[in-house]
Amino acid sequence: MSDNGTMRRGRPGYDQQGILDVAVAAFNEFGYDATSMGVLADRLGLSKSAIYHHFASKDEILDRALDTALGALEGVLAEADTATGRAADRLDLVLRGAVHVLVDKLPYVTLLLRVRGNTEVERRALARRRAFDKEVTSLVSEAQAEGSLRSDIDASVVSRLAFGMINSIVEWYRPGGREDADNLAGDVTAVALDGLRMPTSNRVQELLG
């Protein structure tokens, strides 16, 4: 993005998204600091000047990549905020949505999870991650207060454990495997929430016989 927020047009014949995809793969493989514009140019078969027609700097590429992952996750929260029903059900939507984001944008989320705050771009991304985590924790607290989730576990611990499990998917998930995103999301919410949900009155009756 340029300073005024408009999309910079690249040289005809080159695709900006394609450059971004290749750059993210290189950042994940070599690390952001070790990936020079020369490395990207070699990967793309372009000159460095051709890349600069699309992006002003390597930092701008990183910023766009991290925004792709964070924007998708923030969109999941926004959808849950507009949903009706109990907080526990909205939390279910967030967890399922986060799994879908991870599967759909696996390289971008992988890059986000490796950010350590070494640059201003990374520090901004970490601030957005903390804000996201805070919103999820608030949703857990709301679900506990309404009585739909057990309240004997700290809300921040619940949030960290749930997303620790979701984030671990980047280490082993491979697209095209046995489970698609819907099945994987169902597995995650079953493991994360079934042990936390308070039984409904009907379920209490069933348990009591």
Side-chain angles (χ1 to χ4, degrees), residues 4 12 16 31 45 60 65 71 93 98 104 122 127 143 146 153 157 162 164 177 185 187 209:
N4 63 7
Q16 191 179 56
E60 185 183 10
L93 290 175
D104 293 342
E122 293 182 20
E146 73 185 9
I153 305 175
V157 173
D187 292 343

Side-chain angles (χ1 to χ4, degrees), residues 155-173:
S156 63
V157 173
V158 172
S159 178
R160 289 190 180 98
L161 289 175
F163 271 88
M165 178 171 55
I166 292 172
N167 293 342
S168 73
I169 294 172
V170 303
E171 303 299 332
W172 56 264
Y173 179 78

Side-chain angles (χ1 to χ4, degrees), residues 39-96:
V39 168
L40 295 182
D42 288 342
R43 278 288 181 99
L44 290 159
L46 301 174
S47 66
K48 287 190 285 186
S49 62
I51 299 175
Y52 286 124
H53 278 281
H54 294 276
F55 298 99
S57 64
K58 194 175 74 164
D59 275 354
E60 185 183 10
I61 297 174
L62 179 64
D63 192 34
R64 282 282 306 282
L66 297 177
D67 183 65
T68 296
L70 286 163
L73 289 169
E74 290 161 352
V76 168
L77 272 180
E79 290 181 10
D81 285 343
T82 62
T84 58
R86 300 181 306 165
D89 295 330
R90 286 181 276 125
L91 178 62
D92 185 288
L93 290 175
V94 169
L95 298 184
R96 289 177 185 272

Side-chain angles (χ1 to χ4, degrees), residues 31 148 176:
S148 56

Side-chain angles (χ1 to χ4, degrees), residues 1 20 23 27 29 32 39 42 50-51 59 62 71 100 111 119 124 134-135 138 141 144 146 170 177 188 190 197:
M1 302 286 281
L20 190 61
F27 293 160
E29 182 177 350
Y32 174 72
V39 168
D42 288 342
I51 299 175
D59 275 354
L62 179 64
H100 275 273
L111 181 62
T119 66
R124 288 199 302 268
K134 184 177 179 180
E135 289 291 329
S138 295
S141 296
Q144 290 175 329
E146 73 185 9
V170 303
V188 166
R197 288 188 188 274

